[in-house]
Amino acid sequence: MKKQYIIPIFVPHLGCPNDCVFCNQKSISGQKKNMTKEEAKKIIENYLKNIKEEDSQIEIAFYGGSFTAIEKEKQEELLSLAYEYIKKGQVESIRISTRPDAIDKEILKRLKKYKVKTIELGVQSANNYILNKANRGHTFEDVKRASKMIRWNGFKLGHQMMVGLPESTRIDEINTAKSLIKLKPKMVRIYPVLVVKGTKLEQDYKKGKYEPLTVVQAVEVCKDLVRMFADKKIEIIRVGLQNTDEIDNPEKEGSEVVARTIPPSF
Ligand code: SF4
């Protein structure tokens, strides 16, 4: 079996039309400046140099922000760069992550042209009240519509959901998983909320208006979610945000996390 590699390129907050209460995309992606074609090229070349296996399956992933909401020209610039590596046979596919309300026919046509294979949607919750509280700027109806369009157009669909959003209960999170299963994603990521600097959540946490989940609460709910998705053969590609210099224990220098009840080993 071929070994799989992902070359992650973070395109922070570009074009994102709103500010979710938990998000300071620049901290979460660890990327302080906008991504240029030159910068992306350097990252790809560097990864390719270090992937030694002959028989490997390599994917370029544009993560962070809302890829399909950035200016069209910027999308084309980055996608055409990635596509060059597909044409040369050095890379097999491209994946992107985006918002559900940044998917339409024209966008999917563009993604198809550059051989994007996987589209991950930031869903976070299936409950419109909780989405509104989190200032997501879209509803669960957008998720349903985008998910169907993605699958009907032959892309691999991924979903990202969060646990511990303001006013979200364990029942809400179980209901979110049930609603997502109906939309038939191939893969999911489950992220317990972290309180990050520079966010609305940080202000609420400091005022005592928001209480993050304890690690026990997060484990309790995540284990149920994992079981639900696994039962339906939906791949769980991540539980918990990946640790980086910025996403680390609050006492570490450079950490952007304010309250870390969810440890890096989660
Ligand atoms: S949509 Fe995504 S990038 Fe934009 S603020 Fe929300 S989490 Fe951050």
Side-chain angles (χ1 to χ4, degrees):
M1 199 172 129
K2 287 185 179 180
K3 191 153 182 212
Q4 295 193 324
Y5 290 93
I6 286 191
I7 302 180
I9 298 177
F10 289 99
V11 188
H13 213 90
L14 284 167
C16 183
N18 67 301
D19 265 313
C20 301
V21 292
F22 52 82
C23 178
N24 179 343
Q25 194 61 37
K26 290 183 183 171
S27 316
I28 288 176
S29 66
Q31 174 82 34
K32 304 259 193 243
K33 54 182 191 334
N34 291 345
M35 180 55 65
T36 60
K37 186 174 180 180
E38 293 66 38
E39 187 61 28
K41 189 167 181 178
K42 260 193 243 159
I43 296 172
I44 298 170
E45 294 290 340
N46 200 29
Y47 268 86
L48 289 177
K49 226 172 36 206
N50 290 304
I51 297 173
K52 301 284 178 233
E53 283 80 1
E54 290 286 301
D55 206 18
S56 50
Q57 197 172 334
I58 304 171
E59 185 166 58
I60 294 175
F62 294 108
Y63 287 142
S66 305
F67 189 81
T68 56
I70 65 178
E71 320 87 79
K72 209 167 110 190
E73 294 68 34
K74 189 76 182 174
Q75 289 180 49
E76 297 263 1
E77 182 185 307
L78 294 172
L79 288 171
S80 60
L81 170 73
Y83 187 44
E84 286 303 311
Y85 290 90
I86 293 186
K87 284 197 281 187
K88 284 191 268 178
Q90 289 175 286
V91 165
E92 200 142 303
S93 54
I94 303 172
R95 92 164 47 199
I96 61 125
S97 67
T98 196
R99 295 170 53 85
D101 54 351
I103 290 291
D104 63 24
K105 263 196 201 154
E106 192 197 328
I107 287 169
L108 291 179
K109 207 166 145 196
R110 182 181 315 124
L111 298 180
K112 200 159 244 181
K113 176 172 145 201
Y114 291 108
K115 299 274 179 282
V116 170
K117 192 169 165 189
T118 304
I119 302 176
E120 290 189 43
L121 290 181
V123 173
Q124 320 319 357
S125 175
N127 181 318
N128 284 337
Y129 175 78
I130 292 162
L131 289 176
N132 190 35
K133 279 269 148 197
N135 200 26
R136 284 289 294 169
H138 67 78
T139 62
F140 192 63
E141 284 63 47
D142 292 312
V143 176
K144 289 198 225 168
R145 183 195 52 82
S147 298
K148 283 179 191 158
M149 285 182 80
I150 289 169
R151 286 202 300 107
W152 287 345
N153 282 280
F155 294 94
K156 237 169 128 178
L157 171 67
H159 283 150
Q160 302 171 8
M161 69 168 284
M162 295 181 89
V163 298
L165 282 170
E167 299 196 39
S168 182
T169 64
R170 187 186 163 121
I171 301 290
D172 293 313
E173 282 138 19
I174 300 285
N175 283 338
T176 292
K178 283 185 187 163
S179 303
L180 294 189
I181 287 168
K182 286 189 195 150
L183 298 175
K184 302 193 175 74
K186 282 270 182 277
M187 66 200 84
V188 289
R189 295 174 193 264
I190 305 168
Y191 293 135
V193 173
L194 291 183
V195 183
V196 171
K197 283 182 193 164
T199 61
K200 165 84 169 36
L201 213 54
E202 180 192 17
Q203 296 167 17
D204 288 350
Y205 171 69
K206 289 191 168 155
K207 287 183 206 152
K209 288 191 196 162
Y210 172 74
E211 195 54 52
L213 293 182
T214 65
V215 68
V216 173
Q217 288 169 325
V219 168
E220 283 292 322
V221 67
C222 286
K223 86 172 162 37
D224 289 345
L225 301 176
V226 164
R227 194 176 294 138
M228 288 169 71
F229 289 121
D231 280 351
K232 297 291 175 194
K233 309 265 182 295
I234 297 168
E235 191 186 357
I236 299 136
I237 48 179
R238 181 142 203 112
V239 184
L241 267 181
Q242 185 159 4
N243 218 42
T244 62
D245 289 344
E246 288 81 11
I247 301 301
D248 207 335
N249 290 326
E251 55 285 353
K252 287 248 184 84
E253 202 188 328
S255 173
E256 295 280 328
V257 177
V258 183
R260 179 144 216 178
T261 49
I262 311 297
S265 59
F266 188 76

XYZ file of all heavy atoms in Angstrom, residues 114-203:
723
model
N -8.841 22.066 -11.709
C -7.481 21.886 -11.184
C -7.313 20.559 -10.453
O -6.368 20.373 -9.704
C -7.124 23.062 -10.272
C -6.975 24.343 -11.045
C -7.924 25.349 -10.965
C -5.889 24.527 -11.895
C -7.799 26.520 -11.695
C -5.749 25.691 -12.628
C -6.712 26.686 -12.530
O -6.584 27.832 -13.255
N -8.235 19.652 -10.644
C -8.135 18.292 -10.094
C -8.147 18.246 -8.562
O -7.464 17.436 -7.936
C -6.872 17.578 -10.601
C -6.800 17.403 -12.105
C -7.515 16.135 -12.524
C -7.499 15.905 -14.006
N -8.451 16.684 -14.785
N -8.911 19.153 -7.953
C -9.109 19.043 -6.505
C -9.946 17.789 -6.275
O -10.910 17.528 -7.004
C -9.853 20.288 -5.952
C -10.271 20.078 -4.496
C -8.969 21.523 -6.087
N -9.531 17.002 -5.271
C -10.236 15.738 -5.056
C -11.132 15.797 -3.820
O -12.233 15.254 -3.801
C -9.173 14.649 -4.869
C -9.676 13.246 -4.905
C -8.472 12.337 -4.978
C -8.792 10.922 -4.673
N -7.557 10.143 -4.546
N -10.629 16.476 -2.779
C -11.344 16.454 -1.504
C -11.707 17.868 -1.065
O -10.879 18.772 -1.134
C -10.450 15.800 -0.421
O -10.070 14.513 -0.887
C -11.171 15.679 0.913
N -12.943 18.024 -0.606
C -13.376 19.319 -0.066
C -13.854 19.098 1.367
O -14.762 18.301 1.612
C -14.515 19.928 -0.911
C -14.048 20.095 -2.364
C -14.969 21.271 -0.317
C -15.129 20.596 -3.318
N -13.206 19.771 2.302
C -13.619 19.677 3.702
C -14.416 20.916 4.073
O -13.964 22.043 3.839
C -12.391 19.589 4.608
C -11.656 18.286 4.482
C -10.576 18.156 5.552
O -10.831 18.498 6.722
O -9.473 17.731 5.197
N -15.581 20.704 4.637
C -16.429 21.819 5.043
C -16.366 22.027 6.549
O -16.489 21.064 7.317
C -17.893 21.521 4.699
C -18.303 21.503 3.230
C -19.798 21.208 3.146
C -17.994 22.839 2.556
N -16.187 23.275 6.961
C -16.287 23.607 8.383
C -17.762 23.681 8.737
O -18.459 24.597 8.333
N -18.239 22.682 9.446
C -19.664 22.609 9.792
C -19.872 23.163 11.205
O -20.717 24.002 11.445
C -20.156 21.146 9.746
C -21.579 21.046 10.281
C -20.072 20.590 8.337
N -19.126 22.611 12.097
C -19.090 22.955 13.542
C -20.322 22.489 14.319
O -20.181 21.841 15.327
C -18.816 24.452 13.787
C -17.782 25.111 12.882
C -16.533 24.309 12.571
O -16.336 23.214 13.059
N -15.666 24.834 11.720
N -21.533 22.786 13.851
C -22.726 22.299 14.560
C -23.881 22.193 13.562
O -23.898 22.908 12.556
C -23.110 23.270 15.677
O -24.328 22.861 16.283
N -24.832 21.305 13.885
C -26.032 21.212 13.028
C -27.162 22.052 13.612
O -28.265 22.068 13.080
C -26.472 19.753 12.922
N -26.874 22.747 14.701
C -27.914 23.521 15.388
C -27.752 25.010 15.022
O -26.727 25.627 15.348
C -27.736 23.285 16.895
C -28.771 24.006 17.721
O -29.097 25.161 17.441
N -29.275 23.344 18.742
N -28.768 25.557 14.375
C -28.648 26.942 13.892
C -28.497 27.956 15.022
O -27.841 28.988 14.858
C -29.855 27.318 13.019
C -29.737 26.699 11.640
O -28.626 26.365 11.196
N -30.846 26.534 10.949
N -29.092 27.651 16.167
C -28.956 28.572 17.311
C -27.480 28.638 17.747
O -26.920 29.712 17.983
C -29.858 28.084 18.462
C -29.695 28.883 19.729
C -30.296 30.133 19.865
C -28.925 28.395 20.791
C -30.142 30.880 21.030
C -28.771 29.133 21.955
C -29.370 30.368 22.066
O -29.215 31.106 23.215
N -26.844 27.461 17.792
C -25.434 27.413 18.215
C -24.528 28.032 17.145
O -23.581 28.758 17.457
C -25.036 25.956 18.550
C -25.800 25.532 19.803
C -23.536 25.811 18.766
C -25.871 24.052 20.017
N -24.857 27.791 15.889
C -24.076 28.412 14.805
C -24.157 29.927 14.916
O -23.161 30.635 14.740
C -24.597 27.956 13.433
C -24.318 26.506 13.049
C -24.982 26.176 11.705
C -22.814 26.233 12.951
N -25.340 30.416 15.223
C -25.548 31.857 15.364
C -24.771 32.399 16.567
O -24.097 33.419 16.484
C -27.053 32.123 15.500
C -27.353 33.587 15.416
O -26.706 34.326 14.677
N -28.315 34.044 16.205
N -24.824 31.682 17.666
C -24.086 32.086 18.871
C -22.581 32.145 18.598
O -21.854 32.930 19.185
C -24.320 31.053 19.995
C -25.613 31.234 20.727
C -25.400 32.147 21.915
C -26.633 32.964 22.195
N -26.408 34.112 23.047
N -22.133 31.241 17.723
C -20.701 31.196 17.404
C -20.338 32.183 16.296
O -19.186 32.238 15.873
C -20.312 29.772 16.989
N -21.345 32.933 15.842
C -21.151 33.934 14.787
C -20.600 33.322 13.500
O -19.723 33.894 12.844
C -20.208 35.045 15.280
C -20.354 36.296 14.456
O -21.408 36.538 13.871
N -19.297 37.083 14.371
N -21.086 32.158 13.161
C -20.574 31.471 11.969
C -20.992 32.145 10.666
O -20.339 32.010 9.643
C -21.074 30.011 11.953
C -20.367 29.103 12.903
C -18.960 28.806 12.471
N -18.887 28.050 11.235
C -17.755 27.850 10.553
N -16.629 28.367 10.980
N -17.764 27.144 9.449
N -22.159 32.786 10.679
C -22.578 33.481 9.454
C -23.164 32.553 8.398
O -23.301 32.946 7.239
N -23.445 31.306 8.760
C -24.152 30.411 7.840
C -25.037 29.500 8.681
O -24.906 29.453 9.903
C -23.189 29.578 6.978
C -22.385 28.586 7.765
N -22.907 27.382 8.205
C -21.116 28.632 8.215
C -21.982 26.740 8.881
N -20.876 27.482 8.918
N -25.918 28.804 7.996
C -26.833 27.912 8.722
C -26.540 26.455 8.348
O -25.728 26.192 7.439
C -28.300 28.199 8.324
O -28.422 27.920 6.922
C -28.678 29.635 8.609
N -27.243 25.548 9.014
C -27.031 24.137 8.676
C -27.623 23.801 7.299
O -27.168 22.863 6.656
C -27.599 23.216 9.761
C -27.140 21.798 9.563
C -25.788 21.482 9.644
C -28.033 20.789 9.254
C -25.337 20.188 9.417
C -27.592 19.479 9.031
C -26.246 19.182 9.121
N -28.578 24.608 6.854
C -29.129 24.398 5.499
C -28.013 24.607 4.462
O -27.956 23.910 3.451
C -30.298 25.358 5.213
C -31.604 24.966 5.907
C -31.521 24.984 7.433
O -30.994 25.975 7.996
O -31.952 24.000 8.069
N -27.125 25.557 4.723
C -25.974 25.767 3.816
C -25.100 24.505 3.775
O -24.562 24.136 2.735
C -25.109 26.945 4.291
C -25.836 28.270 4.165
O -26.408 28.519 3.098
O -25.845 29.043 5.144
N -24.951 23.882 4.934
C -24.116 22.665 5.005
C -24.746 21.555 4.164
O -24.056 20.856 3.412
C -23.966 22.193 6.479
C -23.197 20.874 6.545
C -23.296 23.259 7.325
N -26.068 21.416 4.287
C -26.756 20.345 3.540
C -26.606 20.584 2.037
O -26.273 19.684 1.282
C -28.248 20.323 3.901
C -28.514 19.815 5.291
C -29.981 19.418 5.381
C -30.607 19.920 6.628
N -32.006 19.865 6.725
N -26.880 21.820 1.647
C -26.825 22.160 0.220
C -25.404 21.927 -0.326
O -25.216 21.257 -1.339
C -27.231 23.643 0.053
C -27.306 24.149 -1.367
C -27.353 25.674 -1.419
N -26.276 26.302 -0.655
C -25.050 26.482 -1.105
N -24.748 26.135 -2.338
N -24.117 27.015 -0.350
N -24.388 22.457 0.394
C -23.006 22.345 -0.090
C -22.564 20.874 -0.114
O -21.917 20.430 -1.064
C -22.082 23.164 0.810
N -22.939 20.118 0.914
C -22.510 18.713 0.985
C -23.063 17.927 -0.206
O -22.351 17.125 -0.824
C -23.001 18.062 2.282
O -22.435 18.707 3.390
N -24.333 18.164 -0.519
C -24.937 17.444 -1.649
C -24.247 17.822 -2.948
O -23.913 16.962 -3.763
C -26.434 17.756 -1.731
C -27.213 16.986 -0.690
C -28.686 17.296 -0.739
C -29.374 16.722 0.494
N -30.619 17.369 0.803
N -24.022 19.108 -3.136
C -23.382 19.549 -4.384
C -21.981 18.943 -4.528
O -21.574 18.530 -5.603
C -23.256 21.080 -4.411
C -24.552 21.793 -4.680
S -24.281 23.567 -4.749
C -23.651 23.743 -6.403
N -21.270 18.898 -3.423
C -19.899 18.361 -3.459
C -19.926 16.885 -3.859
O -19.179 16.431 -4.724
C -19.222 18.567 -2.069
C -18.926 20.061 -1.874
C -17.959 17.736 -1.937
C -18.512 20.446 -0.468
N -20.826 16.135 -3.245
C -20.881 14.698 -3.560
C -21.381 14.452 -4.974
O -20.837 13.646 -5.713
C -21.761 13.963 -2.550
C -21.091 13.803 -1.194
C -21.696 12.669 -0.386
N -23.096 12.844 -0.130
C -24.074 12.148 -0.713
N -23.790 11.191 -1.571
N -25.331 12.394 -0.424
N -22.417 15.188 -5.371
C -22.972 14.983 -6.710
C -21.957 15.325 -7.797
O -22.050 14.832 -8.906
C -24.237 15.841 -6.902
C -25.414 15.328 -6.138
C -25.546 14.096 -5.567
C -26.629 16.033 -5.856
N -26.756 13.990 -4.938
C -27.457 15.163 -5.098
C -27.097 17.310 -6.146
C -28.717 15.521 -4.649
C -28.360 17.677 -5.700
C -29.159 16.789 -4.958
N -21.044 16.209 -7.471
C -20.036 16.580 -8.465
C -18.779 15.711 -8.380
O -17.763 16.027 -8.989
C -19.691 18.066 -8.340
C -20.769 18.931 -8.977
O -20.797 19.095 -10.191
N -21.685 19.426 -8.165
N -18.866 14.659 -7.624
C -17.800 13.654 -7.627
C -16.601 13.947 -6.737
O -15.571 13.290 -6.853
N -16.707 14.923 -5.846
C -15.598 15.186 -4.918
C -15.755 14.303 -3.681
O -16.846 13.832 -3.373
C -15.625 16.648 -4.449
C -15.366 17.650 -5.528
C -16.422 18.237 -6.222
C -14.072 18.020 -5.861
C -16.192 19.168 -7.224
C -13.836 18.959 -6.852
C -14.903 19.528 -7.538
N -14.641 14.139 -2.966
C -14.689 13.453 -1.678
C -15.074 14.498 -0.637
O -14.452 15.571 -0.577
C -13.284 12.935 -1.343
C -13.193 11.455 -1.106
C -11.750 11.059 -1.065
C -11.475 10.274 0.189
N -10.094 9.828 0.259
N -16.098 14.192 0.149
C -16.601 15.177 1.121
C -16.046 14.919 2.523
O -16.063 13.788 3.005
C -18.138 15.085 1.157
C -18.864 15.861 2.249
C -18.724 17.370 2.042
C -20.346 15.478 2.285
N -15.558 15.991 3.154
C -15.122 15.904 4.546
C -15.893 16.922 5.382
O -16.287 17.975 4.866
N -16.120 16.607 6.637
C -16.781 17.542 7.544
C -15.893 17.788 8.766
O -15.207 16.873 9.223
C -18.109 16.962 8.047
C -19.218 17.036 7.056
N -20.237 16.113 7.007
C -19.498 17.942 6.071
C -21.083 16.435 6.038
N -20.655 17.536 5.450
N -15.955 19.016 9.266
C -15.286 19.318 10.533
C -16.365 19.750 11.514
O -17.182 20.606 11.189
C -14.303 20.476 10.357
C -13.245 20.206 9.316
C -12.401 21.436 8.977
O -12.496 22.465 9.616
N -11.585 21.304 7.959
N -16.374 19.151 12.701
C -17.347 19.585 13.715
C -16.625 19.919 15.021
O -15.517 19.445 15.259
C -18.438 18.536 13.952
C -18.002 17.266 14.633
S -19.422 16.231 15.172
C -19.996 17.119 16.628
N -17.272 20.762 15.841
C -16.652 21.154 17.105
C -17.483 20.673 18.281
O -18.703 20.513 18.157
C -16.518 22.673 17.169
C -15.572 23.192 16.119
S -15.373 24.967 16.184
C -14.020 25.098 17.323
N -16.809 20.449 19.391
C -17.549 20.169 20.619
C -17.158 21.227 21.651
O -16.028 21.691 21.674
C -17.293 18.736 21.179
C -17.738 17.676 20.207
C -15.844 18.530 21.550
N -18.140 21.627 22.457
C -17.867 22.623 23.497
C -18.090 24.054 23.038
O -17.625 24.988 23.696
N -18.816 24.262 21.947
C -19.138 25.630 21.530
C -20.085 26.259 22.562
O -20.784 25.533 23.274
C -19.821 25.620 20.153
C -18.904 25.442 18.952
C -19.723 25.212 17.688
C -17.980 26.644 18.756
N -20.146 27.595 22.640
C -21.042 28.223 23.615
C -22.471 27.700 23.496
O -23.032 27.665 22.388
C -20.973 29.715 23.243
C -19.642 29.868 22.581
C -19.370 28.574 21.880
N -22.986 27.290 24.630
C -24.368 26.782 24.779
C -24.634 25.440 24.098
O -25.758 24.956 24.077
C -25.405 27.825 24.326
C -25.311 29.087 25.170
C -26.510 29.981 25.039
O -27.645 29.485 24.961
O -26.298 31.209 25.038
N -23.606 24.828 23.546
C -23.793 23.517 22.934
C -23.708 22.441 24.018
O -22.801 22.473 24.854
C -22.702 23.287 21.874
O -22.892 22.052 21.248
N -24.653 21.518 24.002
C -24.626 20.444 24.993
C -24.204 19.148 24.303
O -24.146 19.072 23.071
C -26.029 20.212 25.585
O -26.875 19.765 24.518
C -26.601 21.481 26.186
N -23.981 18.139 25.135
C -23.627 16.819 24.614
C -24.698 16.322 23.629
O -24.387 15.754 22.584
C -23.523 15.889 25.820
C -23.011 14.541 25.512
C -23.132 13.722 26.787
N -23.034 12.334 26.457
C -22.109 11.535 26.948
N -21.209 11.978 27.774
N -22.089 10.265 26.609
N -25.960 16.569 23.958
C -27.050 16.132 23.063
C -26.939 16.836 21.708
O -27.119 16.228 20.653
C -28.437 16.478 23.692
C -28.602 15.797 25.042
C -29.596 16.118 22.757
C -28.761 14.299 24.981
N -26.619 18.147 21.752
C -26.466 18.884 20.489
C -25.353 18.265 19.645
O -25.456 18.150 18.426
C -26.100 20.362 20.756
C -27.229 21.105 21.428
O -28.365 20.978 20.962
O -26.978 21.805 22.432
N -24.292 17.876 20.315
C -23.152 17.339 19.562
C -23.454 15.951 18.986
O -23.070 15.638 17.861
C -21.907 17.368 20.459
C -21.359 18.793 20.502
C -20.896 19.278 21.865
O -20.642 18.437 22.740
O -20.794 20.514 22.047
N -24.181 15.163 19.745
C -24.614 13.851 19.233
C -25.555 14.070 18.037
O -25.444 13.399 17.002
C -25.363 13.046 20.337
C -24.455 12.801 21.551
C -25.975 11.757 19.783
C -23.393 11.771 21.389
N -26.447 15.063 18.174
C -27.366 15.355 17.065
C -26.619 15.854 15.834
O -26.989 15.554 14.700
C -28.413 16.394 17.484
C -29.482 15.750 18.348
O -29.677 14.533 18.300
N -30.155 16.548 19.153
N -25.561 16.620 16.054
C -24.747 17.082 14.914
C -24.156 15.872 14.190
O -24.226 15.768 12.964
C -23.624 18.045 15.385
O -24.242 19.237 15.849
C -22.664 18.385 14.262
N -23.598 14.948 14.957
C -23.010 13.750 14.325
C -24.078 12.991 13.538
O -23.841 12.557 12.395
C -22.368 12.851 15.381
N -25.280 12.857 14.119
C -26.361 12.140 13.403
C -26.690 12.855 12.097
O -26.864 12.213 11.053
C -27.632 12.098 14.270
C -27.575 11.087 15.382
C -28.925 11.046 16.097
C -28.862 10.159 17.324
N -29.971 10.383 18.242
N -26.787 14.181 12.158
C -27.127 14.949 10.948
C -26.025 14.831 9.904
O -26.301 14.768 8.704
C -27.334 16.426 11.291
O -28.320 16.551 12.262
N -24.769 14.815 10.353
C -23.663 14.713 9.385
C -23.654 13.339 8.731
O -23.431 13.226 7.518
C -22.323 14.988 10.069
C -22.129 16.414 10.594
C -20.691 16.640 11.046
C -22.496 17.444 9.535
N -23.889 12.305 9.512
C -23.893 10.939 8.958
C -24.880 10.851 7.791
O -24.593 10.227 6.767
C -24.197 9.917 10.081
C -22.958 9.784 10.985
C -24.602 8.553 9.509
C -23.185 9.054 12.291
N -26.021 11.541 7.941
C -27.027 11.510 6.862
C -26.500 12.147 5.578
O -26.981 11.851 4.487
C -28.284 12.270 7.298
C -29.122 11.532 8.298
C -30.446 12.243 8.492
C -31.130 11.734 9.744
N -31.963 12.714 10.393
N -25.529 13.035 5.711
C -24.995 13.717 4.523
C -23.851 12.943 3.863
O -23.242 13.403 2.904
C -24.536 15.137 4.897
C -25.662 16.053 5.405
C -25.098 17.393 5.856
C -26.711 16.266 4.317
N -23.519 11.798 4.454
C -22.557 10.847 3.889
C -21.154 11.417 3.599
O -20.651 11.287 2.480
C -23.120 10.231 2.594
C -24.449 9.511 2.777
C -24.735 8.693 1.523
C -25.950 7.842 1.637
N -27.225 8.501 1.582
N -20.522 12.003 4.593
C -19.131 12.415 4.361
C -18.228 11.178 4.317
O -18.586 10.140 4.893
C -18.807 13.280 5.587
C -19.678 12.717 6.668
C -20.944 12.245 5.986
N -17.077 11.306 3.667
C -16.121 10.187 3.670
C -15.256 10.267 4.917
O -14.678 9.288 5.347
C -15.210 10.279 2.432
C -15.855 9.806 1.157
C -15.620 8.307 0.958
C -16.192 7.753 -0.310
N -17.612 7.418 -0.253
N -15.124 11.491 5.462
C -14.217 11.673 6.598
C -14.703 12.815 7.490
O -15.423 13.705 7.014
C -12.811 11.972 6.101
C -12.730 13.290 5.388
S -11.307 13.425 4.333
C -11.913 12.627 2.874
N -14.277 12.777 8.743
C -14.615 13.878 9.664
C -13.410 14.237 10.534
O -12.525 13.406 10.764
C -15.778 13.541 10.632
C -17.097 13.464 9.938
C -15.502 12.288 11.430
N -13.429 15.459 10.986
C -12.495 15.914 12.022
C -13.351 16.412 13.178
O -14.374 17.063 12.936
C -11.646 17.104 11.552
C -10.705 16.797 10.429
C -10.037 18.082 9.971
N -9.365 17.856 8.718
C -8.070 17.572 8.602
N -7.305 17.524 9.678
N -7.539 17.358 7.427
N -12.901 16.129 14.397
C -13.659 16.566 15.574
C -12.732 17.445 16.416
O -11.663 16.991 16.834
C -14.121 15.343 16.410
C -14.914 14.373 15.525
C -14.946 15.795 17.607
C -15.179 13.012 16.164
N -13.150 18.679 16.606
C -12.310 19.622 17.339
C -12.989 20.116 18.619
O -13.944 20.888 18.543
C -12.007 20.847 16.478
C -11.139 20.604 15.278
C -11.457 21.148 14.037
C -9.971 19.855 15.383
C -10.646 20.948 12.926
C -9.157 19.652 14.279
C -9.498 20.201 13.061
O -8.693 20.001 11.967
N -12.504 19.710 19.796
C -12.980 20.377 21.015
C -12.490 21.832 20.978
O -11.378 22.104 20.524
C -12.299 19.602 22.144
C -11.848 18.314 21.532
C -11.565 18.609 20.098
N -13.330 22.748 21.448
C -12.992 24.176 21.386
C -11.792 24.495 22.286
O -11.723 24.029 23.422
C -14.201 25.016 21.857
C -13.837 26.486 21.976
C -15.376 24.837 20.900
N -10.877 25.286 21.762
C -9.797 25.855 22.582
C -10.029 27.353 22.663
O -10.466 27.953 21.677
C -8.432 25.628 21.921
C -7.877 24.218 21.834
C -6.488 24.271 21.202
C -7.787 23.594 23.213
N -9.737 27.947 23.800
C -9.882 29.410 23.904
C -8.566 30.039 23.459
O -7.519 29.833 24.068
C -10.237 29.846 25.339
C -10.461 31.353 25.381
C -11.484 29.116 25.823
N -8.657 30.779 22.352
C -7.456 31.335 21.722
C -7.446 32.855 21.904
O -8.499 33.495 21.916
C -7.482 30.943 20.213
C -6.389 31.651 19.428
C -7.344 29.432 20.063
N -6.240 33.401 22.019
C -6.093 34.865 22.184
C -6.714 35.637 21.026
O -6.664 35.176 19.886
C -4.603 35.234 22.227
C -3.940 34.930 23.532
C -2.483 35.382 23.502
C -1.756 34.791 24.696
N -0.312 34.841 24.572
N -7.219 36.802 21.340
C -7.726 37.695 20.286
C -9.096 37.295 19.763
O -9.491 37.745 18.688
N -9.794 36.421 20.472
C -11.116 35.991 20.005
C -12.199 36.517 20.957
O -11.918 36.885 22.099
C -11.220 34.449 19.965
O -11.032 33.945 21.294
C -10.197 33.832 19.047
N -13.435 36.486 20.470
C -14.574 36.875 21.305
C -14.681 35.899 22.488
O -15.048 36.269 23.598
C -15.837 36.839 20.423
C -17.149 36.866 21.144
C -17.561 38.289 21.482
C -18.962 38.490 21.977
N -19.550 37.508 22.814
N -14.332 34.644 22.203
C -14.416 33.625 23.252
C -13.456 33.944 24.411
O -13.761 33.672 25.568
C -14.083 32.256 22.646
C -14.798 31.068 23.247
C -16.294 31.252 23.252
C -14.438 29.792 22.482
N -12.325 34.508 24.066
C -11.368 34.885 25.114
C -12.010 35.929 26.041
O -11.935 35.810 27.263
C -10.087 35.466 24.500
C -9.082 35.874 25.581
C -7.929 36.718 25.074
O -8.021 37.286 23.977
O -6.929 36.825 25.806
N -12.676 36.913 25.424
C -13.326 37.958 26.250
C -14.393 37.328 27.137
O -14.474 37.614 28.329
C -14.004 39.008 25.360
C -13.050 39.790 24.495
C -13.802 40.576 23.408
O -15.005 40.779 23.491
N -13.088 41.000 22.392
